[in-house]
Amino acid sequence: MRDSRETFVNHAFVTGYPIKHSRSPLIHGYWLKQLGIAGSYRAHEVAPEAFPDFMRRLRDGSAGFCGGNVTIPHKEMAFELSDRPDELSAELGAANTLWLEDGRISATNTDGRGFVANLDERASGWDRISTAVILGAGGASRAVIQAVRDRGVRTIHVVNRTTARAQELADRFGEAVEAHPIEALSEVMADAGLFVNTTSLGMDGEPAPSIDFSPLATGAVVTDIVYVPLKTPLLRQAEEQGFRIVDGLGMLLHQAVPGFEKWFGRRPVVDETLRQVIIKDMDVHA
Ligand code: ATR
């Protein structure tokens, strides 16, 4: 009698343009090995004009993938072309995680979950606050605003060089969110318990402005979603001024968890060894 058991090997991707600098293959490769799963996860570069065709081939199975991650510049198109976007991705208008179910492409956005999971891990109790300040109003800011709001923070001040962009986000995310020009930064920081940098200020050794964090509440947490360098100039300043700091690497690691679970059926754990694997890679490519 023939053995009817079949071995399914799932293959997942990360796509973007360009994609070669992505650290996601290292993260998922680590978990596949750790959990002894015979699957694969690889970078797959797709140019913007080819993305609709990639989605079609993902849906009909001819691409050979069960799902994957999507990064810049495809996040908006991934949401628009998916068949079953969830509420999180619909509010953001952007998806970073896709998976196939019954010939349909489901979509979500895990950036916000990664952001709060990182704070939960490294600054437990951070959410016992009523006010947060978020610097920046780009794509990354949206997921952070959504996640902080959904955690129940009552007032979220979004401060941006271009105030109109902050206002767009205040309109999108509801009454908890207030938009401000950059000149108002010091004023809105008064007694806030969380400060988040979502801009590229201080990234890759670029200079960053000095910020006086002293208006923040005692014991406030300062975090940066930039993780290269790990301790950004803003985090360094905040630490010197006596505040708790959380670097952005954990957001990258934790945002990967829900996708892995969808594609490979096991919930992976973000551990210190994984963190060190990525830090080592950052040192090599510094
Ligand atoms: P992302 O999707 O990574 O968030 P983005 O959409 O380009 O990228 O947004 C970058 C953010 O960094 C914006 O808030 C941007 O401010 P503007 O909306 O005014 O452009 C902010 N930013 C970038 N460089 C900046 C600088 N030198 N000073 C202040 N803000 C800066």
Side-chain angles (χ1 to χ4, degrees), residues 11-283:
H11 301 285
F13 61 85
V14 56
T15 186
Y17 192 75
I19 196 59
K20 64 175 184 294
H21 300 299
S22 172
R23 294 199 165 86
S24 293
L26 264 182
I27 300 171
H28 292 280
Y30 172 85
W31 284 331
L32 284 168
K33 196 167 163 211
Q34 184 185 50
L35 296 168
I37 296 172
S40 77
Y41 180 101
R42 64 184 172 87
H44 183 73
E45 189 162 275
V46 177
E49 61 275 16
F51 192 74
D53 190 55
F54 175 71
M55 289 290 277
R56 186 185 57 72
R57 290 187 302 109
L58 173 62
R59 184 181 291 107
D60 71 20
S62 61
F65 293 117
C66 63
N69 285 127
V70 178
T71 186
I72 295 166
H74 301 321
K75 288 184 179 185
E76 287 79 14
M77 235 196 297
F79 160 70
E80 280 157 23
L81 299 177
S82 67
D83 306 307
R84 293 179 184 147
D86 71 354
E87 278 181 28
L88 290 173
S89 60
E91 189 182 36
L92 297 171
N96 75 342
T97 301
L98 306 175
W99 66 98
L100 268 181
E101 249 171 7
D102 316 320
R104 302 282 185 87
I105 302 174
S106 294
T108 188
N109 196 308
T110 65
D111 286 335
R113 271 173 282 177
F115 176 79
V116 295
N118 185 34
L119 286 185
D120 286 342
E121 184 194 302
R122 304 186 89 84
S124 175
W126 70 272
D127 56 346
R128 290 194 289 269
I129 60 169
S130 56
T131 306
V133 174
I134 295 174
L135 183 62
S141 174
R142 296 174 179 215
V144 171
I145 294 171
Q146 183 188 54
V148 170
R149 180 202 62 191
D150 290 352
R151 235 342 152 73
V153 175
R154 284 204 305 275
T155 306
I156 301 169
H157 296 298
V158 179
V159 179
N160 197 43
R161 178 177 60 181
T162 312
T163 316
R165 288 187 88 192
Q167 189 57 52
E168 271 173 44
L169 301 192
D171 296 342
R172 177 184 285 254
F173 291 103
E175 58 187 23
V177 183
E178 295 175 17
H180 305 276
I182 205 101
E183 297 73 30
L185 184 61
S186 183
E187 189 186 321
V188 302
M189 276 163 78
D191 292 326
L194 176 70
F195 181 101
V196 189
N197 176 45
T198 71
T199 74
S200 47
L201 288 170
M203 193 165 169
D204 286 329
E206 293 293 318
S210 312
I211 294 185
D212 174 13
F213 291 99
S214 64
L216 293 175
T218 308
V221 174
V222 176
T223 185
D224 201 326
I225 66 162
V226 171
Y227 61 92
V228 184
L230 213 47
K231 199 179 278 186
T232 63
L234 293 182
L235 291 181
R236 200 174 288 281
Q237 290 177 39
E239 188 177 47
E240 281 164 10
Q241 294 174 36
F243 291 94
R244 285 197 288 173
I245 61 167
V246 176
D247 67 60
L249 178 55
M251 176 179 177
L252 173 77
L253 303 178
H254 283 284
Q255 64 77 32
V257 169
F260 188 97
E261 191 174 16
K262 286 281 180 205
W263 313 314
F264 303 116
R266 300 272 300 278
R267 190 165 180 85
V269 171
V270 172
D271 62 19
E272 188 53 32
T273 312
L274 173 59
R275 200 176 141 84
Q276 292 307 323
V277 166
I278 306 301
I279 290 173
K280 201 166 153 202
D281 183 69
M282 283 159 52
D283 290 342

